[in-house]
């Protein structure tokens, strides 16, 4: 009757009852895990490794290990020091900062306005904001090329104001890249901000209107803190991909408005300096994960920020 | 002592005159242990016999292990130790889909992607019953449970009571040896609940199927069950027919859980006299040798109130502190020797006592019961 | 009223932003019907660029590459991702932080690093072992990698929304593991699987950067073809094909609006 006295097996099995369970877990997640590990984690690790190798005569990475690539990134090349790469790095940071800031300035009133509209209109308005981002990013950049090229009304107006020389277009330029970044990432800021506005506790706002009287102070004390989590989520969704942007600076920027993504890509095609490209990619990875980590920290301090970040 | 005059004898299995009772449905549990990760002990050595064709209830507060025990019977959990036999066959290691046991879940767990008909037919389909017989049996059970008109509905269009019936039909149609019911009435409102309690009991008697019912509601357990097992902390405290568990609870936990409130720590026992905070009361028979201490229980409905003490009764002086009029009965909260004492009088048209009245409290020695703490 | 002026100002801002969002797309659509070969002036209505599309073999090849890539990668991602979603759900009580991190990796990884890593990896594999040289195969592999997380998360969230006792009810009603998959899991998951497939397909069709770096010379997809055409010098044909793609997006938007409406009305 008693199982345990007949054979120790069931008892043994149950005390280690994790093992068939673990087998089930592995069986179900193994293909996907293997896929991501083999085709993303391993290649990334390989790339990180390449960043510490030496550039060979034909552009392929070689031994010995060195920090050459990082030195080149800082501007030390065969012909002495030149700031080109360093400028690209700084420009990427600057563009990310400016574009994120401007996107916030535009998205904030937009999200607020949508949240004040009638219930039936809101989904349509949100869709209207999001639909352009469903089109391919190459096509979107191409649309801006059409708008900013020489002879178009926008370029003519800029010429009349003396902002650009005659017969010039507004692209390629840093300005066009900023514009393209704002255009590209606007929906990613509007959506989380809208979500924050929709959850806004209006009773608190009314109370603040009573207490502070001035609308500006009421906004600052009652509304703004409640939208911080949305703002944080939007900042993550905008700044991290903006820093790694490739298509927009490539099409709208030209050589003088290059960003880190272009520098990296060039080393693997025309430039053929894999270690240098890999070093740039490593910086991008560090920025991405560092940024995510920092936002997570801030998000946790804000409270309930965990779902905000991811 | 009128309440104990129920005809059922505790020593005998419940009488079932239905011929369809199968011996295959008797259940034996031996030394069942179940621990969950994090050292939580759900069952701590359970031994239990459930007889074929009986309505058996597992009763206890939440976390007592009653649901775990039911899940072990269903095969949804495996015991860490011990054995489980259904109809003489050891099923300790048998997975749920190979056990002739079905469950009515607390949430009903009706498949949202299937119609009522397909929900009921699900088990038969999985067992590979041919379509024609499947149809016949679904129709039969639908008539039996009276839900014929609902068969083509989708599950999300049904009320709680209808869902409960369908969950029952889905389990019954498989004709299992044992039907397990996990608090199936807890989500329903009081009126429907009472009605379905009666229906469930009738269904069980008509089919002669073994029902194992889990609940935390002692009234529900007493109304429906042939026998009740009261659980606490993963241990079976007492097993018996409702009247026995109610009138002769084995310890203070069971007594309190069955709704008793008049429990007093025993300060001393001498021959047939027991001393508590209430005073000295005579018992019917002297205590068995070797037993001492414990708790004295006086059921509130055996206490008689009046101007005088009845002949052969223990007499106490009491003051009425509160009166609750319940229609068929009147509850009094008394104070006796500074101790609260609850008494319930059937409403037989006798005089009502008012708050502040001084009255005599009569308790027959037979109703002074000593139980374990 | 001050408040009224504020609201009116916001409303004006809204319309301005809408113009900002749609102007670049409108310009493309507009010039696609231009009879002149120019993006600077409009000479008259014409469908000549659309006719040219039909005779452009390179472009039709690119379209067929995009579709093949989208369908093949989505099917693989659906299978692999569903398994992960199921595993995550079944074992949700365990510490699966490592798995969550791994699943989010393809989502948070910058496109360019993703594409370059895979490219360097595949080129090296090809050089050292003669396997996985850039081709349609390598593109499919890369696409599946970024589709898996989305499928897994959709499937997982569907499971989390289910009454967990349904799984037990299926066991209790005599369904063997295979029967549970066939008669319970799959039918319950069906709508989510369809949604996951379409999302994967959309992500694949829309991707440029990762495709660009993992493609072989023969495997240009539609976005890659358009990119190349833009780099070579703009041809109004690009306006025409871009207009068709914008049209597809608008149709999808209308459908999503109708679908949501119906969903709200139903519940």
């Amino acid at each position: 009757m008693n199982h345990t006295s007949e054979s120790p097996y069931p008892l043994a099995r149950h005390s280690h009852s994790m093992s068939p369970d673990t087998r089930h877990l592995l069986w179900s997640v193994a293909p996907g895990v293997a896929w991501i590990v083999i085709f993303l984690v391993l290649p990334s690790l390989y790339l990180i490794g390449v960043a510490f190798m030496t550039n060979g005569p034909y552009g392929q990475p070689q031994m010995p290990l060195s920090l050459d690539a990082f030195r080149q990134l800082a501007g030390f090349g065969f012909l002495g020091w030149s700031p080109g790469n360093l400028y690209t790095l700084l420009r990427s940071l600057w563009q990310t900062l400016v574009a994120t800031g401007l996107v916030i300035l535009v998205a904030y009133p937009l999200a607020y306005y949508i949240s004040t509209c009638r219930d039936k209109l809101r989904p349509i308005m949100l869709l209207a904001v999001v639909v352009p981002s469903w089109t391919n990013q190459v096509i979107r950049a191409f649309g801006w090329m059409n708008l900013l090229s020489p002879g178009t009304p926008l370029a003519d107006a800029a010429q009349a104001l003396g902002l650009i020389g005659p017969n010039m277009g507004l692209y390629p330029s840093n300005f066009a890249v900023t514009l393209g970044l704002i255009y590209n990432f606007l929906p990613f800021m509007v959506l989380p901000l809208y979500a924050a506005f929709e959850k806004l506790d209006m009773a608190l706002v009314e109370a603040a209107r009573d207490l502070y009287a001035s609308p500006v102070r009421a906004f600052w004390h009652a509304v703004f803190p409640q939208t911080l989590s949305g703002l944080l989520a939007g900042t993550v969704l905008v700044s991290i991909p903006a820093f790694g942007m490739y298509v927009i600076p490539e099409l709208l920027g030209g050589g003088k408005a290059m960003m880190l993504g272009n520098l990296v890509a060039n080393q693997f095609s025309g430039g053929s300096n894999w270690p240098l490209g890999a070093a740039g990619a490593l910086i991008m990875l560090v920025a991405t994960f560092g940024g995510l980590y920092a936002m997570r920290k801030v998000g946790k301090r804000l409270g309930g920020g965990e779902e905000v970040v991811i | 002592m009128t309440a104990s005059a129920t005809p059922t004898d505790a020593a005998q299995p419940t009488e079932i005159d239905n011929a369809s009772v199968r011996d295959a449905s008797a259940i034996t549990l031996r030394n069942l242990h179940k621990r969950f990760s994090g050292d939580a002990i759900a069952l701590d050595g359970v031994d239990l016999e459930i007889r074929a064709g009986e309505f058996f209830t597992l009763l206890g507060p939440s976390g007592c292990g009653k649901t775990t025990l039911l899940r072990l019977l269903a095969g949804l959990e495996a015991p860490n130790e011990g054995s489980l036999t259904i109809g003489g066959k050891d099923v300790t290691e048998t997975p749920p889909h190979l056990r002739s046991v079905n469950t009515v879940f607390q949430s009903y767990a009706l498949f949202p992607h299937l119609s009522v008909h397909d929900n009921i037919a699900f088990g038969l389909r999985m067992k590979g019953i041919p379509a024609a017989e499947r149809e016949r049996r679904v129709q039969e059970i639908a008539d039996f449970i009276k839900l014929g008109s609902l068969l083509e509905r989708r599950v999300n269009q049904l009320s709680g009571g209808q869902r409960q019936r369908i969950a029952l039909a889905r389990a019954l149609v498989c004709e299992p040896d044992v039907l397990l019911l996990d608090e199936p009435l807890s989500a329903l409102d009081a009126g429907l609940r009472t009605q379905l309690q009666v229906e469930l009991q009738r269904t069980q008697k008509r089919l002669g199927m073994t029902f194992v019912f889990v609940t935390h509601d002692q009234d529900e357990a007493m109304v429906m069950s042939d026998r009740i097992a009261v659980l606490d902390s993963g241990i079976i405290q007492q097993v018996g027919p409702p009247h026995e568990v109610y009138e002769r609870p084995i310890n203070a936990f069971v007594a309190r859980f069955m709704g008793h409130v008049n429990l007093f720590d025993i300060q001393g026992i001498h021959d047939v006299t027991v001393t508590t905070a209430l005073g000295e009361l005579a018992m019917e028979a002297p205590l068995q040798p070797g037993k001492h201490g414990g708790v004295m229980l006086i059921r509130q409905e055996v206490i008689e109130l009046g101007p005088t003490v009845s002949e052969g009764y223990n007499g106490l002086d009491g003051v009425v502190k509160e009166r609750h009029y319940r229609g068929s009965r009147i509850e009094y909260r008394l104070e006796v020797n500074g101790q609260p004492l609850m008494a319930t009088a059937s409403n037989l048209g006798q005089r009502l006592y008012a708050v502040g009245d001084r009255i005599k409290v009569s308790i027959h020695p037979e109703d002074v019961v000593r139980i374990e703490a | 009223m001050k408040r009224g002026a504020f609201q009116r100002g916001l409303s004006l801002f809204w319309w301005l932003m809408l113009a900002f969002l749609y102007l670049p797309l409108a310009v493309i659509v507009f010039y696609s019907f231009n009879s002149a070969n120019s993006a600077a002036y409009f000479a008259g209505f014409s469908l000549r660029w659309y006719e040219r599309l039909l005779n452009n073999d390179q472009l039709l090849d690119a379209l067929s590459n995009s579709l093949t890539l989208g369908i093949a990668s989505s099917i693989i991602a659906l299978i692999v991702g569903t398994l992960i979603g199921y595993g995550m759900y079944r074992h949700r009580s365990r510490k699966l932080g490592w798995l969550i991190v791994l699943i989010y990796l393809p989502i948070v990884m910058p496109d360019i690093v993703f594409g370059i890593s895979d490219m360097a990896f595949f080129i090296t594999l090809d050089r050292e072992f003669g396997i996985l040289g850039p081709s349609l195969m390598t593109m499919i592999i890369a696409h599946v990698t970024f589709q898996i997380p989305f499928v897994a998360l959709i499937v997982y969230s569907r499971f989390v929304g289910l009454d967990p006792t349904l799984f037990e009810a299926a066991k209790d009603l005599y369904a063997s593991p295979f029967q549970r998959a066939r008669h319970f899991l799959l039918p319950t998951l069906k709508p989510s699987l369809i949604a996951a497939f379409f999302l994967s397909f959309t992500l694949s069709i829309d991707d440029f950067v990762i495709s660009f770096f993992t493609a072989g010379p023969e495997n240009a997809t539609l976005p890659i073809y358009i990119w190349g055409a833009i780099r070579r010098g703009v041809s109004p044909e690009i306006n025409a094909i871009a207009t068709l793609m914008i049209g597809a997006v608008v149709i999808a938007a209308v459908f999503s609006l109708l679908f949501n409406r119906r969903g709200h009305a139903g519940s």
Side-chain angles (χ1 to χ4, degrees):
Chain A
M1 270 316 251
N2 193 332
H3 250 265
T4 47
S5 60
E6 258 172 34
S7 83
Y9 173 65
L11 186 65
R13 196 202 68 178
H14 292 309
S15 57
H16 295 280
S17 65
M18 277 321 201
S19 86
D21 214 37
T22 304
R23 217 178 311 129
H24 179 276
L25 174 68
L26 290 181
W27 166 83
S28 58
V29 302
V33 167
W35 197 291
I36 294 175
V37 167
I38 296 174
F39 298 120
L40 187 63
V41 177
L42 281 185
S44 312
L45 293 176
Y46 173 60
L47 196 71
I48 292 171
V50 168
F52 296 96
M53 288 161 86
T54 320
N55 191 30
Y58 306 107
Q60 80 277 31
Q62 289 184 337
M63 285 306 186
L65 296 179
S66 75
L67 290 174
D68 277 1
F70 294 93
R71 245 174 255 134
Q72 287 171 40
L73 208 56
F76 299 100
F78 305 111
L79 310 168
W81 189 76
S82 84
N85 291 340
L86 213 53
Y87 278 167
T88 304
L89 205 60
L90 291 175
R91 194 182 299 117
S92 298
L93 274 176
W94 176 245
Q95 285 284 20
T96 304
L97 223 66
V98 170
T100 307
L102 289 174
V103 163
I104 290 173
L105 286 183
V106 174
Y108 205 89
L110 221 51
Y112 170 75
Y113 179 67
I114 296 174
S115 75
T116 61
C117 286
R118 278 184 293 128
D119 280 0
K120 285 207 162 180
L121 275 178
R122 286 189 228 162
I124 302 173
M125 293 171 84
L126 285 174
L127 197 67
V129 171
V130 172
V131 162
S133 71
W134 289 0
T135 53
N136 194 281
Q137 58 170 334
V138 176
I139 291 177
R140 275 177 282 153
F142 177 56
W144 279 109
M145 289 168 75
N146 277 344
L147 276 174
L148 301 177
S149 59
T152 57
L154 278 175
D156 288 346
Q159 274 172 35
L161 290 170
L163 294 174
I164 51 173
N167 299 322
M168 296 276 286
L170 281 162
Y171 96 96
S173 67
N174 278 313
F175 163 76
V177 174
T178 312
L179 199 64
L181 289 176
I182 296 172
Y183 184 76
N184 203 59
F185 291 113
L186 186 60
F188 296 95
M189 186 64 83
V190 171
L191 289 182
L193 276 178
Y194 168 77
F197 274 120
E198 209 194 15
K199 279 188 291 186
L200 199 72
D201 185 351
M202 281 319 273
L204 222 58
V205 180
E206 297 297 326
R209 293 279 292 167
D210 272 358
L211 288 171
Y212 302 111
S214 132
V216 175
R217 296 195 62 186
F219 168 80
W220 197 246
H221 287 96
V223 178
F224 186 70
Q226 293 192 69
T227 57
L228 266 181
S229 62
L231 205 59
L232 186 71
T235 305
V236 173
L237 292 174
V238 172
S239 60
I240 288 175
F243 187 67
M245 188 40 103
Y246 170 73
V247 170
I248 288 169
E250 193 75 15
L251 290 183
L252 295 173
K256 287 192 172 171
M258 227 170 44
M259 284 173 65
L260 190 53
N262 314 92
L263 177 79
V264 170
N266 287 347
Q267 306 317 315
F268 286 86
S269 46
S272 277
N273 184 345
W274 280 26
L276 177 57
L282 181 56
I283 288 184
M284 229 181 258
L285 279 180
V286 170
T288 301
F289 291 105
L292 279 177
Y293 180 75
M295 296 295 179
R296 214 183 148 82
K297 284 259 152 167
V298 178
K300 270 188 184 158
R301 191 160 303 172
L302 281 178
E306 263 169 292
E307 45 85 45
V308 166
V309 175
I310 290 185
Chain B
M1 276 317 295
T2 46
S4 66
T6 325
T8 323
D9 185 345
Q12 292 287 303
T14 316
E15 290 276 324
I16 295 164
D17 42 21
N18 194 311
S20 68
V21 175
R22 290 156 291 182
D23 283 335
S25 52
I27 302 169
T28 311
L29 310 176
R30 283 279 165 270
N31 191 31
L32 278 185
H33 284 264
K34 178 67 184 175
R35 284 178 299 273
F36 288 110
S37 51
D39 300 334
I41 293 172
L43 292 177
D44 198 5
V46 166
D47 287 285
L48 195 61
E49 302 272 351
I50 298 174
R51 296 163 194 150
E54 90 177 316
F55 196 124
F56 192 89
T57 296
L58 302 170
L59 175 67
S62 63
C64 70
K66 59 188 191 299
T67 298
T68 305
L69 189 50
L70 198 78
R71 291 169 62 80
L72 285 172
L73 290 172
L76 297 170
E77 305 279 359
N80 296 97
E81 211 179 294
S83 73
L84 162 60
T85 322
I86 297 178
K89 215 175 79 191
D90 189 316
V91 294
T92 317
E93 305 275 307
T94 311
H97 66 278
L98 301 176
R99 293 189 188 191
S100 181
V101 166
N102 284 107
T103 310
V104 177
F105 292 91
Q106 189 172 12
S107 66
Y108 311 139
L110 300 176
F111 297 113
H113 67 287
L114 297 177
S115 68
V116 169
H117 173 280
D118 292 351
N119 260 287
I120 297 176
F122 191 87
L124 300 176
R125 223 167 126 210
M126 295 304 108
K127 273 172 137 180
I129 307 285
E133 195 195 335
R134 213 159 66 204
E135 280 316 301
R136 186 184 59 72
R137 281 169 68 174
V138 170
Q139 272 309 327
E140 205 176 87
I141 201 78
D143 293 342
F144 184 75
I145 305 277
K146 299 188 186 69
L147 41 75
S149 64
L150 298 176
L151 279 182
E152 293 316 313
R153 294 267 193 95
R154 289 201 73 89
V155 170
N156 53 15
Q157 300 168 329
L158 303 172
S159 71
Q162 287 169 330
R163 280 171 203 232
Q164 202 281 328
R165 278 206 179 88
I166 289 153
L168 181 64
R170 183 177 72 174
L172 285 177
V173 76
C174 300
E175 295 175 5
D177 292 337
V178 178
L179 186 74
L180 309 174
L181 303 103
D182 185 8
E183 309 210 21
L185 306 178
S186 63
L188 306 174
D189 59 63
L192 193 56
R193 207 175 156 140
T194 316
Q195 181 197 335
L196 287 174
Q197 282 172 2
V198 176
E199 269 182 39
L200 260 183
Q201 197 190 15
R202 274 191 204 138
T203 305
Q204 190 267 338
K205 291 290 166 248
R206 240 154 86 194
L207 298 173
M209 196 183 276
T210 310
F211 275 31
V212 181
F213 188 92
V214 159
T215 186
H216 60 265
D217 179 336
Q218 86 278 8
D219 285 331
E220 190 167 278
M222 288 193 284
V223 168
M224 301 169 80
S225 317
D226 295 318
R227 284 197 306 151
I228 296 173
V230 182
L231 277 92
D232 183 41
S233 317
I235 295 169
I236 291 188
Q237 305 288 330
Q238 187 172 4
V239 184
H243 66 90
E244 194 179 289
V245 176
Y246 180 78
E247 292 162 26
R248 291 279 182 265
I250 202 159
N251 58 29
F253 171 82
V254 176
R256 285 205 183 86
F257 200 78
M258 296 312 289
H260 297 300
V261 288
N262 297 331
L263 293 162
F264 301 92
D265 287 340
I266 293 174
Q267 292 158 354
I269 300 180
H270 184 74
D271 197 22
V272 295
T273 307
V274 55
T275 312
T276 68
L278 275 186
E280 291 194 347
L281 294 172
M283 295 192 294
E284 179 75 0
L287 202 62
Q288 286 165 347
K291 295 215 174 187
H292 44 79
V295 172
M296 181 185 75
L297 163 68
I298 299 165
R299 287 189 285 128
Q300 58 192 71
E301 63 273 18
V302 299
I303 296 173
E304 291 180 16
L305 306 177
T308 55
V309 176
S310 310
E311 181 68 32
Y313 280 58
N314 291 297
L316 295 166
D317 290 314
V319 182
V320 176
K321 287 292 188 186
E322 282 171 22
R323 187 182 76 197
H324 304 291
Y325 184 80
R326 302 249 187 219
S328 67
R329 63 188 196 278
I330 302 114
E331 291 171 5
Y332 293 101
R333 193 170 78 79
L334 311 171
E335 196 176 277
V336 175
N337 277 343
Q339 298 293 312
L341 186 72
M342 294 294 293
T344 303
S346 291
N347 190 352
L348 304 171
Q350 75 274 50
R351 87 169 256 224
L352 290 176
Y353 298 104
V355 171
D357 283 358
R358 301 189 160 276
I359 48 172
K360 292 288 178 196
V361 177
S362 309
I363 302 166
H364 195 274
E366 202 171 70
D367 294 323
V368 178
V369 179
R370 180 207 162 269
I371 60 179
E372 298 296 332
Chain C
M1 279 300 285
K2 206 172 152 199
R3 209 182 173 81
F6 183 60
Q7 273 301 20
R8 245 177 293 129
L10 275 179
S11 165
L12 182 69
F13 182 67
W14 159 257
W15 289 110
L16 275 175
M17 280 303 119
L18 221 51
F20 170 71
L21 284 169
Y22 284 89
L23 206 56
L25 305 179
V27 165
I28 291 173
V29 176
F30 182 69
Y31 282 115
S32 75
F33 298 109
N34 190 0
S35 62
N37 183 358
S38 166
Y41 65 95
F42 193 76
F45 180 82
S46 155
L47 289 176
R48 58 186 278 216
W49 307 115
Y50 289 91
E51 282 162 28
R52 287 262 291 263
L53 289 185
L54 292 175
N55 300 318
N56 186 335
D57 288 342
Q58 272 184 307
L59 185 109
L60 295 178
D61 280 350
L63 179 65
S64 120
N65 280 337
S66 272
L67 293 177
T68 312
L69 173 62
I71 292 170
S73 61
S74 300
I75 290 173
I76 300 173
L78 196 64
I79 297 167
V80 178
T82 302
L83 281 173
I84 291 199
Y86 176 63
M88 274 168 74
Y89 173 74
R90 263 289 302 271
H91 303 276
R92 64 195 177 286
S93 58
R94 306 175 67 169
K95 289 196 178 93
L96 293 178
W98 61 273
L99 186 59
I100 308 283
V101 167
L102 199 69
I103 282 176
Y104 275 104
L105 203 58
I107 299 179
V108 299
M109 185 81 103
D111 279 5
I112 185 85
V113 183
F114 193 135
I116 294 276
S117 302
D118 270 3
M119 181 185 90
F121 185 66
F122 291 139
I123 286 181
T124 308
L125 280 186
D126 186 30
R127 197 175 51 210
E128 302 294 328
F129 308 104
I131 51 165
L132 289 180
S135 62
L136 193 60
M137 179 59 100
T138 53
M139 293 172 91
I140 291 175
I141 287 174
H143 279 221
V144 171
T145 312
F146 69 71
Q147 290 164 333
I148 287 172
F150 291 95
V151 177
L153 293 174
I154 288 176
V155 168
Y156 174 74
S157 64
R158 169 66 182 153
F159 276 134
V160 167
L162 283 178
D163 175 2
T165 45
L166 286 174
F167 294 83
E168 300 185 336
K171 282 184 201 170
D172 187 65
L173 291 163
Y174 312 106
S176 65
F178 174 76
Q179 284 176 317
R180 293 202 288 272
R182 164 84 183 73
H183 294 285
F184 167 59
L185 288 181
L186 282 182
T188 313
L189 274 186
K190 205 166 103 190
S192 306
L193 293 181
I194 293 172
F197 180 85
F198 278 110
L199 181 65
S200 298
F201 182 74
T202 311
L203 288 170
S204 166
I205 291 284
D206 194 47
D207 171 71
F208 166 71
V209 174
I210 293 167
S211 307
F212 185 62
F213 289 104
T214 51
E218 316 271 276
N219 316 115
T221 59
L222 221 42
I224 294 176
Y225 174 80
I226 294 172
W227 170 271
I230 294 171
R231 300 312 300 263
R232 280 196 303 274
V234 178
S235 140
E237 261 177 84
I238 303 302
N239 286 323
I241 180 65
T243 299
L244 292 179
M245 290 172 78
I246 293 168
V249 165
V250 171
I251 290 170
V254 170
F255 265 103
S256 89
L257 203 62
L258 289 178
F259 203 74
N260 276 343
R261 278 275 162 81
R262 181 132 1 120
H264 284 300
S267 69

